[in-house]
């Protein structure tokens, strides 16, 4: 009896955790023989017990028609009465084709149509194509091109060599691209860092021509030919020597001083100050100083020339000397690119560019304010109100604006064949601004926005006609519209300890600068009304990025 009780107590003892599985069947629950003998758990897609089995095509394929489907009760399809809309991407420039496909999801993009021959046996050389794509994107981003245009160029190169399932990504200093051959293959990624930036629109146009040739079916460019042309573009010398750039900086400042009411003496004083500032900036660049300090040093000589003229008691507009020097330093190119990136949805790149613009603007303020404080201590008595009293001389101002644009184009290292077009574009912009502001009495901000919109419109049309970037036709043309007078007026008020009025004038200058950038971008978008857009009559037309509308 004791042994039986002992044996029963031993059976009732709980077993250890190692001996008891969490998935063990509790005692008292019956187990079917089939389930007990099965080692692997059942699939989560299997039909539960108790439900009627349904005959499924292809052994339960996920693509089989559900048993609840009824063709007579199905909703209306998306396809219209004329059939599925087709796209004609070959009939438009590569910029529009690539933007169209970049804004499409990967699964709805058209079938790849490689523009260059790809080996059938081995397929595209993925590593070399990605490397070539990144190198081309690096030159474009370093030259100041917008992030959307850089991504479109990278996608055009990769797709032309057979890599259609790729995603390029552009930030201010980093380029990356990912290619996935199929859904079951591992993706291949590569990236490249942009460490040096330079303004050379001649090189930028050459890169655009290379991308256009690569993405054209009629031109056969192998990977070796593309690398060779890219190396030639990198080794290409600037179209203008250094002494011409320095002379152009002086003429730009002199023309800008004439634009705001200066005379002959003011012209030469502003030119001399700009030349000295340019040489000092080159000296600092050769010593490895950051660009911030180069702007500080470059802003001092024009301000010193203006203060010196004011102390001589000559009957000249000394404020025009400093204003002309500011026209050559204001970062209009970087501001336009920053606003363009922000309006197209590249907020990280736009924030970085705007931060760069802010640093340059602060550097200019520091250089000018340092000289103005010294001038006030030495007895200089500038009249801030004289800055806003600009004498209206239409013919002379139009000529001065065109000279300003011409010299600005040289400073940007543009191709010689484009200088005439951009000069005419800038002259038209100043005529429109003068007619709206001086003759029509419209405030400066809307007048500037309308004039800048025409610059963007004509610049985009000219760039598509010449298969080039729009920057060479736009950046120099906005030179006469830059807020040099408002900037100097605000700095002078701050130097005289009139802080509130000075900050108000600087805010007005910032508003004018933003009006220039937004106007240029809006004009570029309006130019698409006059160009053939891929798939304009279909569902695959160019879509803008959808926003959250506040939620």
């Amino acid at each position: 009896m004791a042994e039986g009780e002992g044996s029963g107590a031993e059976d009732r003892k709980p077993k250890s955790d190692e001996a008891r599985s969490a998935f063990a069947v509790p005692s008292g629950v019956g187990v079917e023989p089939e389930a007990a003998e099965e080692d692997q758990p059942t699939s989560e897609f299997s039909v539960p017990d108790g439900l009627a089995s349904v005959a499924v095509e292809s052994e339960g394929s996920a693509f089989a028609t559900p048993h609840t489907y009824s063709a007579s009760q199905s909703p209306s399809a998306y396809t219209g009465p004329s059939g599925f809309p087709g796209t004609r991407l070959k009939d438009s420039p590569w910029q529009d084709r690539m933007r169209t496909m970049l804004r499409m999801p990967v699964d709805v993009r058209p079938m790849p149509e490689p523009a260059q021959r790809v080996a059938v046996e081995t397929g595209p050389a993925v590593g070399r194509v990605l490397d070539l794509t990144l190198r081309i994107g690096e030159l474009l981003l370093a030259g100041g091109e917008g992030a959307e245009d850089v991504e479109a160029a990278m996608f055009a190169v990769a797709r032309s060599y057979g890599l259609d399932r790729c995603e390029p990504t552009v930030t201010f200093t980093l380029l990356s691209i990912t290619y996935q051959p199929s859904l079951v293959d591992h993706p291949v990624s590569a990236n490249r860092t942009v460490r040096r930036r330079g303004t050379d629109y001649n090189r930028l146009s050459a890169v655009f021509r290379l991308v256009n040739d690569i993405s054209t079916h009629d031109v056969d460019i192998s990977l070796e030919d593309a690398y060779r042309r890219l190396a030639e573009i990198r080794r290409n010398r600037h179209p203008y020597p250094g002494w011409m750039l320095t002379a152009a900086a002086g003429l730009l400042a002199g023309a800008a001083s004439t634009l705001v009411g200066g005379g002959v003496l003011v012209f030469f004083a502003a030119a001399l100050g700009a030349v000295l500032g340019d040489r000092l900036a080159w000296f600092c660049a050769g010593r490895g100083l950051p660009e911030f300090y180069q702007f500080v040093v470059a802003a001092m000589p024009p301000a010193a020339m203006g203060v010196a003229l004011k102390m001589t008691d000559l009957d000249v507009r000394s404020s025009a000397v400093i204003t002309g020097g500011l026209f050559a330093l204001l970062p209009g190119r970087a501001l336009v690119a920053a606003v363009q990136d922000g309006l197209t949805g590249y907020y990280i790149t736009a924030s970085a560019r705007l931060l760069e613009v802010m640093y340059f603007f602060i550097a200019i303020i520091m250089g000018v304010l340092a000289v103005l404080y010294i001038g006030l201590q030495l007895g200089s008595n500038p009249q801030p109100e004289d800055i806003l009293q600009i004498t209206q001389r239409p013919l002379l101002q139009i000529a001065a604006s065109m000279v300003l644009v011409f010299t600005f184009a040289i400073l940007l290292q543009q191709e010689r064949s484009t200088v005439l077009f951009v000069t005419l574009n800038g002259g038209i912009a100043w005529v429109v601004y003068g007619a709206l502001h001086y003759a029509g009495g419209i405030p400066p901000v809307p007048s500037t926005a309308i004039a800048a919109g025409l610059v963007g419109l004509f610049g985009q049309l000219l760039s598509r006609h010449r298969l080039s970037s729009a920057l060479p036709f736009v950046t120099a043309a906005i030179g006469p519209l830059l807020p040099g007078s408002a900037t100097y007026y605000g700095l002078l008020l701050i130097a005289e300890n009139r802080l509130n009025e000075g900050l108000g004038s600087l805010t007005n200058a910032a508003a004018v600068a933003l009006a220039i950038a937004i106007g240029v971008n809006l004009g570029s978008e309006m130019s698409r009304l006059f160009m053939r857009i891929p798939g304009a009559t279909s569902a695959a037309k160019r879509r803008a990025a959808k926003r959250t509308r506040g939620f």
Side-chain angles (χ1 to χ4, degrees):
M1 186 68 181
E3 294 180 356
E5 292 177 357
S7 176
E10 184 177 354
D11 293 338
R12 290 193 297 271
K13 288 183 180 179
K15 297 182 179 180
S16 63
D17 293 339
E18 291 79 3
R20 181 175 60 204
S21 172
F23 299 98
V25 180
S27 58
V29 178
V31 181
E32 298 181 1
E34 293 81 1
E37 294 177 358
E38 186 176 1
D39 296 330
Q40 301 295 332
T42 59
S43 171
E44 59 182 4
F45 297 103
S46 61
V47 180
D49 295 337
L51 295 181
S53 60
V54 181
V56 183
E57 300 175 5
S58 303
E59 298 181 0
S61 172
F63 298 97
T65 304
H67 71 281
T68 58
Y69 176 79
S70 175
S72 60
Q73 299 178 358
S74 63
S76 58
Y78 179 76
T79 307
S82 59
F84 189 80
T87 58
R88 299 179 60 188
L89 295 177
K90 290 184 179 180
D91 299 337
S92 56
W94 66 266
Q95 295 98 323
D96 289 328
R97 300 201 312 265
M98 296 308 123
R99 283 198 188 96
T100 300
M101 285 184 283
L102 278 174
R103 296 186 180 191
M104 291 180 181
V106 179
D107 55 343
V108 299
R109 289 175 182 170
M111 291 297 294
E113 299 175 354
Q116 305 301 327
R117 290 196 298 267
V118 179
V120 180
E121 299 81 5
T122 60
V126 176
R128 298 195 66 195
V129 172
L130 294 183
D131 179 70
L132 176 66
T133 302
L134 290 174
R135 290 177 183 272
I136 290 177
E138 178 190 9
L139 286 181
L140 293 176
L141 188 61
E145 192 63 67
E148 186 179 32
D149 292 325
V150 176
E151 282 195 1
M154 294 173 63
F155 188 75
V157 175
R159 189 178 177 86
S160 299
Y161 286 107
L163 305 185
D164 60 307
R165 298 181 62 88
C166 63
E167 288 294 339
T169 305
V170 175
T171 60
F172 186 58
T173 57
L174 183 65
L175 298 165
S176 63
I177 186 169
T178 301
Y179 170 67
Q180 188 173 12
S182 66
L183 293 176
V184 297
D185 292 328
H186 296 291
V188 180
S189 299
N191 57 66
R192 195 172 183 89
T193 302
V194 179
R195 303 189 183 277
R196 296 188 61 184
R197 300 177 181 274
T199 304
D200 190 346
Y201 284 175
N202 182 39
R203 177 181 297 174
L204 194 69
S205 300
V207 175
F208 260 76
R209 284 193 295 270
L210 174 59
V211 176
N212 181 73
D213 292 342
I214 291 176
S215 58
T216 302
H217 292 76
D218 301 333
V219 181
D220 184 17
I221 299 180
S222 63
L223 279 174
E224 289 73 15
D225 294 335
Y227 269 105
R228 178 183 53 80
R229 288 183 56 177
L230 190 63
E232 292 177 355
I233 293 173
R234 284 180 174 275
R235 292 194 301 264
N236 188 22
R237 297 179 59 87
H238 299 309
Y240 309 105
W243 65 266
M244 186 177 291
L245 298 179
T246 301
L251 288 176
L252 190 154
S257 65
T258 305
L259 193 66
V260 295
V264 177
L265 181 59
V266 170
F267 177 91
F268 285 103
L272 180 60
V275 168
L276 293 176
D278 182 77
R279 288 293 89 193
L280 286 176
W282 276 105
F283 177 80
C284 294
R287 298 301 183 273
L289 287 179
E291 203 168 6
F292 177 86
Y293 301 106
Q294 297 175 29
F295 271 81
V296 173
V297 173
M300 289 183 174
M305 294 296 297
V307 171
L309 277 182
K310 188 63 180 179
M311 296 179 63
T312 57
D313 295 331
L314 295 175
D315 188 14
V316 293
R317 293 179 61 89
S318 59
S319 60
V321 177
I322 305 177
T323 304
L326 291 178
F327 269 88
L329 296 176
L330 292 176
R333 173 181 59 87
L335 179 64
V336 171
V339 174
Q340 178 184 357
D341 289 342
L343 294 177
T344 52
Y346 296 85
Y347 298 116
I348 296 178
T349 307
S351 302
R353 290 186 191 268
L354 285 176
L355 186 62
E356 181 187 37
V357 170
M358 185 189 70
Y359 271 105
F360 290 162
F361 197 69
I362 292 176
I364 296 172
I365 291 175
M366 291 178 58
V368 175
L369 279 182
V371 176
L372 289 180
Y373 275 123
I374 295 175
L376 290 175
Q377 298 299 323
L378 296 178
S380 175
N381 186 22
Q383 300 295 329
E385 289 74 16
D386 294 341
I387 303 173
L388 304 179
Q389 299 175 0
I390 300 177
T391 306
Q392 299 183 23
R393 300 172 293 179
L395 295 179
L396 184 60
Q397 287 177 319
I398 293 174
S401 66
M402 297 182 71
V403 172
L404 190 154
V405 175
F406 177 80
T407 52
F408 202 174
I410 294 177
L411 286 176
L412 293 174
Q413 300 282 1
Q414 291 190 197
E415 291 180 304
R416 298 178 182 179
S417 59
T418 64
V419 173
L420 177 61
F421 294 104
V422 71
T423 302
L424 294 176
N425 197 11
I428 293 173
W430 176 256
V431 169
V432 172
Y433 172 79
L436 293 175
H437 179 57
Y438 295 115
I442 300 177
V445 174
S447 301
T448 303
I450 295 174
L454 290 178
V455 169
L457 173 64
F458 295 146
Q460 193 67 236
L461 294 177
L462 287 172
S463 69
R464 297 308 173 88
H465 175 69
R466 296 179 60 90
L467 300 177
S468 177
S469 171
L471 288 180
F473 300 97
V474 169
T475 306
I478 64 173
L481 305 177
L482 293 175
S485 298
T487 303
Y488 174 56
Y489 181 65
L491 296 180
L492 187 56
L493 291 175
I494 293 176
E496 293 184 345
N497 204 19
R498 298 161 62 178
L499 187 60
N500 292 334
E501 299 178 34
L503 292 178
S505 181
L506 291 180
T507 303
N508 184 32
V512 172
L514 289 177
I516 293 174
I518 295 175
V520 168
N521 182 266
L522 182 60
S524 299
E525 296 296 329
M526 289 179 60
S527 66
R528 304 181 190 280
L529 298 176
F530 305 96
M531 295 185 298
R532 180 181 297 176
I533 302 302
T537 59
S538 67
K541 61 185 178 181
R542 181 179 185 267
R543 299 181 177 91
K546 294 182 179 180
R547 304 293 180 239
T548 58
R549 292 185 177 89
F551 54 83

